[in-house]
Amino acid sequence: MSSIDRSQAVGGTRTYEVRTYGCQMNVHDSERLAGLLEDAGYVRAPEGSDGEADVVVFNTCAVRENADNKLYGNLGHLAPKKARRPGMQIAVGGCLAQKDRDTIVKKAPWVDVVFGTHNIGKLPVLLERARVQEEAQVEIAESLEAFPSTLPTRRESAYAAWVSISVGCNNTCTFCIVPALRGKEKDRRPGDILAEIEALVAEGVSEITLLGQNVNAYGSDIGDREAFSKLLRACGKIDGLERVRFTSPHPRDFTDDVIAAMAETPNVMPQLHMPLQSGSDPVLKAMRRSYRQERFLGIIEKVRAAIPHAAISTDIIVGFPGETEEDFEQTLHVVREARFAQAFTFQYSKRPGTPAAEMDGQIPKKVVQERYERLVALQEEISWEENKKQVGRTLQLMVAEGEGRKDDSTHRLSGRAPDNRLVHFTKPDQEVRPGDVVTVEITYAAPHHLLAEGSVLDVRRTRAGDAWEKRNAEKSAKASQPTGVLLGLPKVGVPEPLPVAASGCGCD
C-alpha cells in the first residue's frame, strides 16, 4: 500500500495515546509528547481506547530488570491490531529506547518509530517520515539537542504542574542505569525556570513540583553551589504560587542553606523525599552513595529541628549484592530512627549494563523476599503511628482530582495536606472543585491516608479551581462539536519552540 493509499485509509482527525512507565520525569516527558502531537494536529484518543488510537506512543523506563519484557508484551498485544488497521503507527521512546536502540525494531518489526531521551521533540517528524518512507525510523541522539522545556506541553492538571530545573545526573550509583541514558547534568537558567513558573501561575496553577534527577545538585552545571536554595527562595516571591515541592534530592548535596530556605519560605511545603537506599555503610559504599548512615540521620535531625511537622519519605533497596543480615539490620535501625511517613521499598533488581549486575554476592530471591516483608511490616507500623499523630489537627487541603477511588461511594472528596499526606474528607454542601482549598479537622488515621469525617470548616475558591472549571468546560464543549474531516495527515516538522515550558525525571 502506497503512502497516499495509507493516508486515505486513515482519513479524518488522527488520534493518539501515550503510555507512560517510570518516574516523574517520564510522566512530565509524556506531557510534552502529548503537547507535540496535538501541536501537529492529532487529538487525544478517548479514555479506555486500549490501543485503538491511530498513534500509540510508549514512553519507557529501563530501571527494572523486566522492563523490556513488559514493553515487548505490550507491543505484541498491539501487533494484530496494527495488522488490521492500515495507517496505525507505534512509537517507542524513553530510557529503554535509548538503551536498546535497534533491538526494538528487530524484536518488534511492526514498530514505526524509536526515539531516545534526548530528542523527544522529533517525534512528529519521525512519524511523518516513517509514513512517507514506509519503513521504521530509529533516531537516538547521544546528547541533549535542546532543553525539553521549550517544547509544547499538554499538562494533565490545571492546578498543579511539574517544572524541570535540570536533566541528567553526575552520580555513578552502581545500581542505576539512568545517568548513562539521560546523560550528564544540564541545568536550566534560573530566569527561564522562574519565567515558566510565573506563566503557569498566570494560567491558574497554584502548586508546582521542581524536578531533577538529582534536584538539589542544581547549580553544579552553572557554578553556583547555593543555586537550589536561591531558587526555592525566589519561588517564595511569586504571587499566586501557593505550594512548592521538589523531587528527588540526594543526601550528598543536601546542605544547610537548603534546609534554611525550606523553613523560611512559606510556600515551600513541609515535605521531603530523601532517598536512603540502605542504612548500611558497607552497602552504601558498594552502591557508590557518597554519604553514610550518620550523615543521613544528621540531615533528618536538622530538617525536623527546622520544620517540626515535616513529613519525610524515602526509597530503600533490599537485597543489594553482598548485603548481609547485619547490613539489613542497619537499614531497619535507620527506619526506626528516621520514622519516615512513607517508604518506597524495592527488592533489588539487576539492571543490565550497571556495575551491580556483575557483582559477586547476589542474594537469593527467598532471602530478599523475607527481608522485604520485614521491612514493609516495620514501615507500615511506623507510618500508621505517625499518621495517628495527625488526628485532631486542623489542616488546609488542596482538593485533588482522581485521588480517592472510593469517593463516589463514600460521599467524600480527597485532597493533599501541606505535607502531601492524602486526606479523604466529607463532601460539603457547596461546590468544591479540584484546586480549591478546604479546611478540615482530622478524625481518623490509617497507614496510608487520613480521614476528616466531620463537616468542612471552610472552603476557599481559588484561581486554580477556576482554571480546572474552565478546562473542563472547554473539554465538554469540544466533545459536543462535530469532528469534521481533515486531510488525514498531521503537519510536517517540529513545532516552533514556545517562550517557556518544562522538563523532568527523578533518579534517586
Side-chain angles (χ1 to χ4, degrees):
M1 182 180 287
S2 71
S3 60
I4 294 176
D5 292 335
R6 293 180 68 172
S7 68
Q8 289 174 343
V10 172
T13 303
R14 286 172 61 78
T15 59
Y16 76 90
E17 174 190 354
V18 180
R19 300 186 185 183
T20 309
Y21 306 97
C23 65
Q24 298 96 329
M25 286 292 231
N26 271 18
V27 172
H28 190 26
D29 280 347
S30 289
E31 291 184 328
R32 277 190 286 272
L33 293 171
L36 283 160
L37 291 170
E38 293 193 5
D39 202 61
Y42 296 82
V43 297
R44 191 173 192 172
E47 292 293 331
S49 57
D50 190 27
E52 296 300 324
D54 297 307
V55 173
V56 179
V57 183
F58 291 88
N59 189 10
T60 63
C61 174
V63 169
R64 307 302 293 172
E65 185 180 12
N66 65 351
D68 54 347
N69 294 334
K70 188 171 185 178
L71 171 66
Y72 293 119
N74 285 320
L75 290 176
H77 177 70
L78 288 183
K81 294 186 178 184
K82 189 173 190 294
R84 292 194 302 267
R85 297 179 54 220
M88 180 183 178
Q89 291 184 295
I90 299 172
V92 180
C95 289
L96 192 63
Q98 187 80 20
K99 180 173 78 74
D100 284 359
R101 305 175 183 237
D102 295 323
T103 305
I104 293 173
V105 291
K106 288 177 182 176
K107 290 187 175 181
W110 55 92
V111 169
D112 298 275
V113 171
V114 179
F115 61 101
T117 59
H118 299 308
N119 62 330
I120 64 175
K122 291 289 185 66
L123 176 60
V125 75
L126 291 172
L127 288 167
E128 180 66 14
R129 194 186 300 162
R131 183 169 21 252
V132 171
Q133 297 182 5
E134 298 186 20
E135 64 179 11
Q137 301 296 309
V138 179
E139 187 169 308
I140 306 292
E142 296 300 327
S143 59
L144 196 65
E145 295 182 344
F147 209 94
S149 293
T150 60
L151 301 174
T153 304
R154 184 195 188 282
R155 296 186 181 272
E156 291 300 315
S157 171
Y159 55 89
W162 309 105
V163 175
S164 182
I165 67 173
S166 65
V167 294
C169 181
N170 295 334
N171 293 320
T172 58
C173 301
T174 55
F175 57 81
C176 185
I177 197 170
V178 174
L181 304 178
R182 292 274 183 175
K184 293 290 186 181
E185 181 177 324
K186 295 291 183 184
D187 295 336
R188 292 177 70 189
R189 292 172 51 195
D192 292 342
I193 297 168
L194 294 171
E196 179 183 350
I197 295 171
E198 288 169 351
L200 289 168
V201 172
E203 294 171 4
V205 168
S206 60
E207 176 179 311
I208 59 106
T209 300
L210 304 175
L211 283 180
Q213 248 112 10
N214 181 6
V215 69
N216 60 321
Y218 176 74
S220 63
D221 184 47
I222 56 179
D224 184 354
R225 290 178 59 85
E226 295 189 353
F228 186 62
S229 61
K230 291 175 182 176
L231 182 62
L232 291 178
R233 293 183 186 276
C235 288
K237 298 176 182 177
I238 298 177
D239 289 339
L241 180 59
E242 297 193 17
R243 295 186 172 193
V244 177
R245 306 185 191 277
F246 58 88
T247 195
S248 289
H250 192 293
R252 182 195 66 187
D253 303 300
F254 208 81
T255 49
D256 290 349
D257 61 298
V258 173
I259 297 173
M262 290 178 65
E264 296 165 9
T265 309
N267 64 356
V268 175
M269 295 294 95
Q271 174 214 352
L272 175 63
H273 183 75
M274 180 66 73
L276 169 65
Q277 307 302 10
S278 174
S280 162
D281 288 354
V283 173
L284 289 170
K285 183 178 180 180
M287 289 178 169
R288 286 192 204 145
R289 301 287 286 181
S290 49
Y291 57 89
R292 299 296 178 258
Q293 180 188 119
E294 183 179 4
R295 159 77 172 150
F296 186 92
L297 288 174
I299 293 171
I300 303 300
E301 184 178 355
K302 287 181 178 179
V303 171
R304 289 244 161 84
I307 315 166
H309 288 299
I312 301 174
S313 57
T314 196
D315 294 331
I316 300 173
I317 296 172
V318 177
F320 187 81
E323 180 189 75
T324 65
E325 180 62 24
E326 183 180 351
D327 292 325
F328 179 66
E329 285 293 341
Q330 287 301 306
T331 295
L332 296 182
H333 168 70
V334 175
V335 170
R336 293 187 188 99
E337 291 292 311
R339 299 197 64 80
F340 300 113
Q342 188 177 14
F344 299 91
T345 52
F346 307 92
Q347 298 186 34
Y348 171 74
S349 171
K350 282 186 178 181
R351 280 77 159 180
T354 64
E358 306 301 324
M359 285 182 177
D360 294 333
Q362 301 287 330
I363 311 298
K365 171 67 175 175
K366 182 178 180 181
V367 175
V368 177
Q369 181 68 32
E370 187 271 337
R371 290 176 183 171
Y372 176 79
E373 290 173 1
R374 284 160 57 196
L375 173 61
V376 169
L378 174 62
Q379 182 56 52
E380 287 277 301
E381 179 184 331
I382 292 172
S383 294
W384 199 357
E385 290 173 356
E386 291 301 307
N387 273 1
K388 287 176 181 176
K389 295 177 183 177
Q390 306 299 311
V391 174
R393 291 189 65 194
T394 298
L395 301 176
Q396 288 193 335
L397 313 178
M398 181 174 290
V399 181
E401 184 175 29
E403 294 265 27
R405 289 172 294 178
K406 299 180 181 178
D407 281 352
D408 289 340
S409 60
T410 58
H411 197 64
R412 291 175 180 145
L413 297 175
S414 299
R416 291 282 175 177
D419 64 10
N420 211 37
R421 282 183 166 94
L422 177 63
V423 182
H424 305 300
F425 62 94
T426 302
K427 190 174 183 179
D429 293 333
Q430 66 191 102
E431 181 189 25
V432 178
R433 309 159 302 177
D436 286 340
V437 175
V438 298
T439 304
V440 301
E441 182 179 332
I442 304 302
T443 58
Y444 176 81
H448 302 293
H449 68 267
L450 302 171
L451 293 183
E453 299 162 299
S455 299
V456 169
L457 304 178
D458 183 61
V459 174
R460 176 165 63 86
R461 292 173 68 85
T462 65
R463 291 173 60 254
D466 294 343
W468 179 88
E469 189 171 11
K470 179 182 177 183
R471 175 185 284 197
N472 274 31
E474 291 172 349
K475 192 184 300 182
S476 299
K478 190 178 294 185
S480 65
Q481 292 175 355
T483 327
V485 179
L486 303 182
L487 295 178
L489 288 175
K491 68 181 183 183
V492 182
V494 179
E496 289 296 315
L498 297 181
V500 282
S503 152
C505 183
C507 174
D508 303 327

